[in-house]
Amino acid sequence: MSLNSITVGIDRISFSTSQYYIDLRTLAENVGTCAQKYYQGLRQQKMSVTPPNEDIVTLAANAAQTIVATEPNKHIGILLLGTESSIDQSKSAGVYVHRLLGLSKYCRVVELKQACYSGTAGLLMACDFVRQNPDQSALVIATDIARYERNTPAEPTQGSGAVAMLVSANPKILEIAGTTSAYVDDVMDFWRPNYRREPLVDGKYSTNVYLDALQKCWERFKQLSELSLNDYYSLLFHVPFCKMAHKALNKLAENESVDEKKFSAFQNKIEQAIQYNTIVGNCYTASLYLSLLSLLENAEESLAKKRIGLFSYGSGCTAEFFTGVVQEGYHQYLYRDMHQKHLSERIELNYEQYVKMHDHHVNAKDNAFVPTGDYSVGSFAFVGINSHQRHYQAVDEVEYAYAG
Ligand code: CAA
């Protein structure tokens, strides 16, 4: 059997975000902006805000734990963690996650970086791994905290979250096709030097570079695949803010012959695909996959056998367009109720609480501890740093609460 004849793709997909959010109306009132600019202009309603004892490790472990618990017999041979809010220059955040999840010691673990694109790098590498090792699975986790400086244009486009995907042979949810088109260009639209907590971003320029990279990937993909716009049921895009997905669709339609009915169907699918993003906000590497999850869990009709196009963009920049076909019976393998409960039970912050959480910077110093009872988290907590080592625990195993 040739490697290309093995069907690989997303076998399970799960998501987690912080327990807190701020409504963008509250933000708008306090920074002196019209709420409609955020609600209509950016198409964002709420954004997740992370407390001090939540970070990319706890978000990632929370996202993946359901998959690991419900699929105990899958042999996970590799864990690929994509992030651009890294917590260490050397040690992979995936190693902490691996321990928290209790995975087999016989597993490769690595962290990947290329802005919002690295989750996609992980997913496509995972597919290649499974093609080579069809009896094993790969766990891919895209996890990020999108945090910008307050009182900047980027402030309403923050958020946080992690999406975990189990990649296996004969996947239950989305078969990923082999043909992809990648594009790279050395540009400075968004970056975070090692000495900074928040990234620097040239906002308007970044949206133009994103759209240009989309066009380049799309043109190349057409040459490689012979598919046209009409062959897709829906198109999903990296979602730094939800309006961007519509801008991306408009860009593709500019140079394509697509009739009004099909275009409006694409718009309608985007609405279903941004339902989660609009109340979570940007979660960088996880945003495209949160959008995929949103479509899978909120589509008004069955997606079985439908072809989806996915565009991943990471500033700096690397982008890639690829496609997947939704599998028959996929809906039985989703964790829809759990995700919707998680989202609906989040705690709303007022502006002062948001500012306090945003500005809290436990990572800045050694011997900084987070009182574990002060904030609500999922199943895992970041409890503090001592001797320059980060400490994580399962919440039900936390035996002590540090004094702040
Ligand atoms: N009612 C309705 N709409 C309004 C409005 C009102 N009262 N006031 C303004 N608007 C509309 C504007 O017309 C505009 O719409 P269009 O884009 O369709 O023209 C929209 O609201 C935004 O308004 P501005 O252009 O004035 O926005 P801004 O200058 O305040 O900043 C931003 C917008 C540049 C996206 C900024 O939020 C930002 O820098 N965000 C971070 C960077 C980013 O997300 N870039 C995306 C590409 S890079 C990437 O994708 C990687 C990543 O994840 C970061």
Side-chain angles (χ1 to χ4, degrees):
M1 186 163 49
S2 88
L3 293 181
N4 285 333
S5 67
I6 297 168
T7 304
V8 300
I10 301 173
D11 200 31
R12 298 289 186 283
I13 178 166
S14 185
F15 163 71
S16 188
T17 186
S18 130
Q19 310 291 317
Y20 299 94
Y21 74 90
I22 183 169
D23 194 304
L24 291 188
R25 285 186 206 286
T26 309
L27 181 67
E29 276 162 24
N30 284 277
V31 298
T33 302
C34 169
Q36 285 316 307
K37 174 170 176 181
Y38 299 160
Y39 266 62
Q40 278 176 18
L42 298 176
R43 296 292 314 277
Q44 287 299 139
Q45 296 176 9
K46 298 173 181 172
M47 61 189 191
S48 285
V49 182
T50 40
N53 50 357
E54 190 91 85
D55 70 4
I56 54 161
V57 169
T58 59
L59 290 169
N62 278 319
Q65 65 170 339
T66 307
I67 295 177
V68 173
T70 54
E71 294 304 314
N73 297 326
K74 300 273 178 176
H75 173 46
I76 295 172
I78 188 166
L79 190 166
L80 294 157
L81 184 143
T83 188
E84 60 177 306
S85 9
S86 191
I87 41 119
D88 193 290
Q89 294 300 325
S90 173
K91 179 167 175 165
S92 163
V95 172
Y96 297 107
V97 176
H98 175 276
R99 197 241 319 150
L100 292 172
L101 294 173
L103 298 181
S104 156
K105 296 270 185 194
Y106 301 100
C107 179
R108 269 185 215 152
V109 179
V110 72
E111 180 176 314
L112 304 164
K113 175 169 68 184
Q114 179 26 55
C116 305
Y117 167 77
S118 64
T120 299
L123 176 62
L124 298 177
M125 286 175 185
C127 289
D128 288 341
F129 172 85
V130 174
R131 281 187 192 101
Q132 296 280 356
N133 304 279
D135 56 333
Q136 296 183 41
S137 292
L139 183 60
V140 179
I141 312 178
T143 178
D144 266 306
I145 297 174
R147 188 190 284 116
Y148 295 99
E149 282 179 319
R150 289 193 294 105
N151 302 310
T152 62
E155 186 178 16
T157 65
Q158 299 177 104
S160 68
V163 172
M165 294 171 277
L166 188 72
V167 174
S168 306
N170 304 314
K172 296 286 191 288
I173 295 179
L174 188 77
E175 177 194 345
I176 306 242
T179 305
T180 79
S181 69
Y183 172 78
V184 66
D185 197 10
D186 184 0
V187 290
M188 294 304 281
D189 59 331
F190 170 109
W191 67 107
R192 182 167 70 89
N194 285 347
Y195 48 83
R196 281 185 63 100
R197 183 192 190 211
E198 284 92 12
L200 295 155
V201 60
D202 187 341
K204 291 273 171 6
Y205 175 59
S206 70
T207 59
N208 290 336
V209 179
Y210 172 122
L211 293 174
D212 185 50
L214 168 63
Q215 191 64 39
K216 297 275 186 351
C217 286
W218 175 251
E219 292 302 334
R220 173 116 176 105
F221 192 82
K222 278 198 304 184
Q223 289 166 9
L224 297 174
S225 76
E226 294 175 354
L227 291 168
S228 79
L229 209 50
N230 289 312
D231 295 316
Y232 295 92
Y233 172 79
S234 72
L235 293 163
L236 303 181
F237 305 95
H238 168 56
V239 190
F241 53 93
C242 290
K243 175 77 117 13
M244 196 70 216
H246 282 287
K247 284 179 189 281
L249 176 64
N250 293 343
K251 179 74 184 174
L252 285 190
E254 263 173 23
N255 301 317
E256 296 289 326
S257 58
V258 50
D259 68 39
E260 226 171 89
K261 197 165 159 226
K262 184 72 181 166
F263 184 70
S264 128
F266 280 139
Q267 288 179 315
N268 178 261
K269 305 298 174 312
I270 287 183
E271 287 305 308
Q272 293 159 21
I274 59 176
Q275 281 188 31
Y276 292 163
N277 304 68
T278 197
I279 57 170
V280 169
N282 196 356
C283 37
Y284 293 156
T285 51
S287 291
L288 171 62
Y289 301 100
L290 181 59
S291 183
L292 169 64
L293 188 67
S294 184
L295 179 71
L296 291 165
E297 296 190 347
N298 297 302
E300 287 152 5
E301 57 186 355
S302 170
L303 302 178
K305 297 191 172 164
K306 306 280 197 241
R307 180 177 293 277
I308 295 177
L310 298 100
F311 174 69
S312 178
Y313 176 75
S315 288
C317 73
T318 303
E320 192 148 2
F321 186 86
F322 62 104
T323 75
V325 176
V326 181
Q327 300 299 285
E328 201 82 74
Y330 70 98
H331 56 273
Q332 301 165 51
Y333 300 98
L334 299 172
Y335 309 110
R336 183 174 182 271
D337 293 348
M338 182 187 80
H339 292 141
Q340 299 200 342
K341 186 167 180 287
H342 174 34
L343 287 169
S344 69
E345 288 181 350
R346 287 181 303 163
I347 302 157
E348 181 170 0
L349 300 175
N350 63 31
Y351 183 68
E352 289 68 32
Q353 291 167 324
Y354 153 70
V355 168
K356 189 173 167 213
M357 237 178 234
H358 179 284
D359 293 358
H360 193 114
H361 196 178
V362 75
N363 297 331
K365 50 188 186 292
D366 194 20
N367 293 319
F369 300 109
V370 187
T372 51
D374 281 9
Y375 301 98
S376 186
V377 288
S379 301
F380 304 98
F382 164 55
V383 291
I385 303 175
N386 72 348
S387 302
H388 300 284
Q389 297 174 21
R390 295 176 81 84
H391 296 278
Y392 297 92
Q393 284 182 326
V395 167
D396 56 12
E397 287 169 11
V398 173
E399 290 160 5
Y400 50 90
Y402 294 113

